[in-house]
Amino acid sequence: MYSLSVISYAITCVCILLAVAFFTLLERKGLSYMQVRKGPNKVGYMGIPQPIADAMKLLVKEIAKPTMVNFSPYFIAPIFSFILALVMWQLYPSLNALGYFKLGALFFLCVSSLNVYGTLLAGWSSNSKYALLGSLRAIAQTISYEVSMALIFLFPLFVVGTINFFDVVEFQAPLWLVFMLVPVSFVWFATCVAETNRAPFDFAEGESELVSGFNIEYGSAGFALIFLAEYANILVMSLFSSLLFFGGGFIFNASADFLLILKVLFFSFIFIWVRASYPRFRYDLLMSLTWKGFLPFSLAALLIILELLFLINY
């Protein structure tokens, strides 16, 4: 029975990798249409095999190790980030999951907090000033937005009164929480964009200042793993946005699964749309947004929610 679960999880991981690969194609196609230019269209029919060609190109390239890097953490960092991105998908209680987490919300906070260590290891071990500066900026940004994200994450949990994702989704059967928590859902999504280091908050990869930031010394398979981890995190944050505020799925039938896929695609496409629409922030404005904007708002709104729940229950 356990071997079947492992095989099922391996199939799930392969499906996740394929989803990430073709999400990159969706992003390149979407950006090209939004910016009125040509996207990938040379490889195969309409450029559809382009992600497979890119993956093959990166994986068959020779792994070059810069002379002065710290060997072990340099190679561990991409693998660590990639494993964390895959572990996050186990929180969704699908039929292919290895286990079911009754305390899934706590596990989500723990794993999402560990993502910063992959960036820290990659920037420090590369022994490059550009990689180090990029990792320091990414660490400050990720930790800052982790605080407001954790507080906003508590809103649906407190409203439902559970830390179980299954109960959160069941509670939203008659009415999605987004209709009760409209401002909170907008702040949540903006925090997700910053947490995943996406434009306009992509200061960890500021090409104009840092020559691609913390991953500048990586190529071939190492760069591919960092790239896959970043886009897998985008998809998993889109998944949890749909679970927490838009009803999710969990009914295990074709219509519910199709609806959940549409929700995840919708949020994923908004990531692309935001990248195409807005220029990069200044870094001081980015940090001011979370400490002077999102954090006071989330604390005040959370206090109001708790007071209302206290009055309703007692």
Side-chain angles (χ1 to χ4, degrees):
M1 185 67 180
Y2 182 75
S3 60
L4 291 176
S5 298
V6 172
I7 294 172
S8 178
Y9 178 62
I11 295 172
T12 303
C13 291
V14 172
C15 293
I16 293 168
L17 295 179
L18 288 174
V20 169
F22 285 97
F23 177 65
T24 62
L25 178 66
L26 173 65
E27 180 181 38
R28 295 172 69 180
K29 288 281 191 180
L31 290 175
S32 65
Y33 282 114
M34 293 176 189
Q35 298 170 354
V36 195
R37 57 182 175 82
K38 290 184 178 181
N41 59 357
K42 300 299 182 185
V43 180
Y45 177 70
M46 296 176 60
I48 292 175
Q50 184 69 53
I52 300 174
D54 292 339
M56 291 179 61
K57 178 191 71 174
L58 288 171
L59 294 178
V60 301
K61 286 179 68 175
E62 180 184 0
I63 299 177
K65 182 182 79 68
T67 307
M68 302 299 291
V69 300
N70 296 287
F71 185 81
S72 296
Y74 176 81
F75 284 103
I76 289 173
I79 300 171
F80 180 71
S81 298
F82 181 65
I83 290 174
L84 287 179
L86 292 181
V87 165
M88 292 280 281
W89 284 90
Q90 281 303 299
L91 288 175
Y92 182 76
S94 66
L95 294 175
N96 296 325
L98 278 177
Y100 175 60
F101 293 90
K102 292 183 178 179
L103 307 178
L106 294 179
F107 190 79
F108 171 82
L109 292 175
C110 293
V111 175
S112 62
S113 300
L114 289 174
N115 283 327
V116 69
Y117 288 100
T119 307
L120 172 65
L121 283 175
W124 174 78
S125 63
S126 295
N127 203 11
S128 164
K129 62 180 179 181
Y130 296 111
L132 181 61
L133 288 173
S135 66
L136 289 176
R137 300 206 313 188
I139 291 164
Q141 173 181 337
T142 304
I143 293 175
S144 298
Y145 278 87
E146 190 78 34
V147 176
S148 57
M149 188 189 77
L151 290 173
I152 298 165
F153 184 71
L154 294 176
F155 276 85
L157 303 182
F158 282 161
V159 171
V160 180
T162 183
I163 54 176
N164 189 332
F165 285 124
F166 194 90
D167 295 335
V168 172
V169 174
E170 281 192 334
F171 181 85
Q172 299 179 74
L175 181 67
W176 292 349
L177 285 176
V178 66
F179 297 113
M180 295 184 281
L181 304 170
V182 175
V184 175
S185 61
F186 280 106
V187 175
W188 164 264
F189 187 78
T191 305
C192 289
V193 174
E195 185 71 13
T196 52
N197 293 320
R198 290 286 294 178
F201 307 130
D202 56 339
F203 292 98
E205 301 174 5
E207 295 88 356
S208 57
E209 314 97 46
L210 297 172
V211 201
S212 191
F214 71 95
N215 58 9
I216 182 60
E217 298 295 340
Y218 285 93
S220 61
F223 178 80
L225 289 177
I226 293 174
F227 197 73
L228 287 171
E230 177 183 342
Y231 279 83
N233 284 328
I234 293 171
L235 291 177
V236 81
M237 294 308 291
S238 301
L239 172 67
F240 283 108
S241 297
S242 67
L243 297 186
L244 294 173
F245 296 100
F246 285 82
F250 287 178
I251 307 176
F252 301 127
N253 58 44
S255 60
D257 291 340
F258 181 72
L259 184 59
L260 178 64
I261 291 171
L262 288 180
K263 294 173 187 175
V264 174
L265 280 175
F266 171 73
F267 284 110
S268 303
F269 185 75
I270 293 181
F271 275 91
I272 301 171
W273 197 353
V274 169
R275 177 178 179 178
S277 303
Y278 295 100
R280 186 177 290 149
F281 261 32
R282 286 205 331 252
Y283 194 76
D284 60 319
L285 295 178
L286 172 79
M287 302 302 283
S288 176
L289 179 64
T290 182
W291 291 112
K292 298 181 181 178
F294 290 170
L295 183 60
F297 168 78
S298 57
L299 285 172
L302 193 60
L303 180 61
I304 294 172
I305 289 289
L306 290 175
E307 289 177 351
L308 290 174
L309 292 174
F310 179 81
L311 293 174
I312 291 172
N313 294 327
Y314 296 99

